[in-house]
Amino acid sequence: MTDKTPTDGFSEQTVWMLAIRDQRDKAAFGKLFDHYAPRLKGFIIRAGAPRAQAEDVVQDVMLTVWRKAHLFDPTRAQVSSWIYQIARNRQIDVIRKEARPMPEALKAEDEGDMEPDAGQVMALEQETDQLRAALDKLAPAQREMIERAYLGELSHSEIREATGLPLGTIKSRIRLGLERLRHELKDLRQE
Amino acid sequence: MSANISHHIPPEIMAAYAAGSLPHAFSLVVATHVSMCEDCRAELAAQETVGGVVLETLDSAEVSAGLKADVLSMLDDPVPPEPAPAKRSGVYPGPVMEALKGKPPRWKALGGGVKQCVLTGEGGSVSRLLWIPPGKPVPDHGHNGLELTLVLQGGFSDETGHFEVGDVEVATDDLDHVPTADPGAPCICLAATDAPLKFNSFLPRLLQPLFGI
Ligand SMILES: [Zn+2]
């Protein structure tokens, strides 16, 4: 477990999540809950879950966030995209009654937390803000298609016609985070 | 690790995987390719970033008054142990070993020296491992929809190009192709189709019901 990492300039969601990961901070979890639980509920209902089930899914997702916090890596994922991924897995579980095949994890659970590279974290946050601004500028119909795609309502061939967001810069930013992680894992394994 | 991969998962298929709308067998191919390819791991994370922005900006719905207290009261509950995900074994990455339930593949002859091992058949999509002798073709087949073929060992060529370890071929129903294994080592592939394969020659068609192709 690392000491408190310097978080100047990070978004409050990232600060909460790092406090949860590194200090098991329940007050920070409370704030994260207040921010994401209503968003998750809205998202889950839009994605087709019966209302009665929606809060069960919210509960499961938030508990998973707490229990798997050690896997959160702000140099590779925003809090929102990490929670998005957990929510999609949980919904596939509940609705389709199947487990989505997952890629091999990069970081083994026993390898401990690594000091996040603050510059990398902030650069990824900036890229995400720009992506959000780009989405805000879309015409309503186009925006609706993007939402439907990421809510899981469109097939891959419908997505090909509907989207085509410019993700090049965000992808190369994440690639840098991955390369750094590979180096650190290699060093750890050689020690 | 992924320096030589030149055929990747197209963005719309990655987006469908991230969003959970991709049928199970194709998701297995995507998860396996991402396990082998750094570039597509970044592509997946980029797609999930868009998903996160949608989650962040969509209309929210008020949660009931007691939900937060309920969740907070459960934080210290003992966590039910989860089985560890299956580990890579030989040429089979973790997601394939998971589909194999940790055991080596049980091959069944398909004719022409080609063997297969069906992995999953959920939701109208089928995934299978194919074992092709060096220099030999996969039986001539068409498919009703999308087909993803990921090379795990050796390599193959067809009308569209040459595919080596880590490469994924994306074929649609208009492609009637004859993949032929490279000389040297047998070629092992992970293939997913969203409909039963239609083999074009007479004998394999008769065998289709027997082998579940
Ligand atoms: Zn790739």
Side-chain angles (χ1 to χ4, degrees), chain A residues 26 34-36 38-39 41 55 59 66 80-81 84 88 96 100-101 104 143 149-150 154 175 182, chain B residues 12 17-21 35 38-39 41 47-48 56-57 60-64 68 74-76 82 94:
Chain A
K26 288 184 183 168
D34 291 338
H35 183 82
Y36 282 111
R39 286 174 168 80
K41 187 175 174 185
E55 291 205 347
Q59 179 175 309
W66 175 258
S80 58
S81 55
Y84 170 79
R88 293 315 296 154
R96 299 219 300 249
R100 175 169 60 158
E104 286 170 9
R143 167 81 195 213
Y150 291 88
L154 302 183
R175 194 85 155 81
R182 286 269 185 221
Chain B
E12 68 274 10
Y17 172 80
S21 54
S35 303
E38 211 76 329
D39 213 44
R41 197 180 278 275
Q47 296 290 351
E48 286 168 348
E56 198 73 63
T57 52
S60 51
E62 206 178 328
V63 295
S64 25
K68 184 178 178 184
M74 285 187 271
L75 295 186
D76 295 325
E82 261 181 60

Side-chain angles (χ1 to χ4, degrees), chain A residues 13 26 29-31 33-43 45-46 51 55 58-59 62-63 66-68 76 78 80-81 83-85 88 92 96 98-106 124 128 131-132 135-136 143 146-147 149-157 159-160 165 167 170-171 174-175 178-179 182, chain B residues 1-2 11-13 15-24 27-28 30-32 34-35 38-64 67-72 74-80 82 86-88 92-95 122-123 146 172 194:
Chain A
Q13 289 84 350
K26 288 184 183 168
F29 181 81
K31 289 180 186 152
F33 184 96
D34 291 338
H35 183 82
Y36 282 111
R39 286 174 168 80
L40 276 168
K41 187 175 174 185
F43 182 89
I45 291 170
R46 265 286 305 270
R51 266 174 188 275
E55 291 205 347
V58 173
Q59 179 175 309
M62 292 310 297
L63 278 174
W66 175 258
R67 289 170 182 165
K68 302 217 162 153
R76 291 192 287 145
Q78 295 280 283
S80 58
S81 55
I83 295 183
Y84 170 79
Q85 185 223 312
R88 293 315 296 154
I92 292 165
R96 299 219 300 249
E98 60 182 40
R100 175 169 60 158
M102 297 291 282
E104 286 170 9
L106 277 187
L124 184 56
T128 309
L131 180 68
R132 186 172 170 163
L135 278 172
D136 284 340
R143 167 81 195 213
I146 300 277
E147 287 176 2
Y150 291 88
L151 281 157
E153 292 170 5
L154 302 183
S155 72
H156 67 90
S157 41
I159 293 174
R160 190 174 43 215
L165 284 172
L167 296 179
I170 207 152
K171 191 177 148 185
I174 294 166
R175 194 85 155 81
L178 282 171
E179 275 159 21
R182 286 269 185 221
Chain B
M1 179 184 200
S2 55
E12 68 274 10
I13 291 181
Y17 172 80
S21 54
L22 195 66
H24 191 270
S27 294
L28 177 60
V30 172
T32 307
V34 169
S35 303
E38 211 76 329
D39 213 44
C40 286
R41 197 180 278 275
E43 171 74 31
L44 172 59
Q47 296 290 351
E48 286 168 348
T49 307
V50 190
V53 171
V54 169
L55 169 66
E56 198 73 63
T57 52
L58 215 60
D59 290 340
S60 51
E62 206 178 328
V63 295
S64 25
L67 188 65
K68 184 178 178 184
D70 285 352
V71 172
L72 285 173
M74 285 187 271
L75 295 186
D76 295 325
D77 287 357
V79 182
E82 261 181 60
K87 286 214 170 69
R88 162 185 291 270
Y92 306 114
E122 284 120 281
L146 181 67
T172 45
D194 59 4

Side-chain angles (χ1 to χ4, degrees), chain B residues 179-210:
Chain B
T180 301
D182 292 351
C187 176
I188 299 178
C189 296
L190 169 66
T193 48
D194 59 4
L197 288 175
K198 318 170 272 200
F199 280 85
N200 293 342
S201 51
F202 175 70
L203 195 61
R205 199 195 306 271
L206 275 182
L207 295 176
Q208 280 189 41
L210 279 177

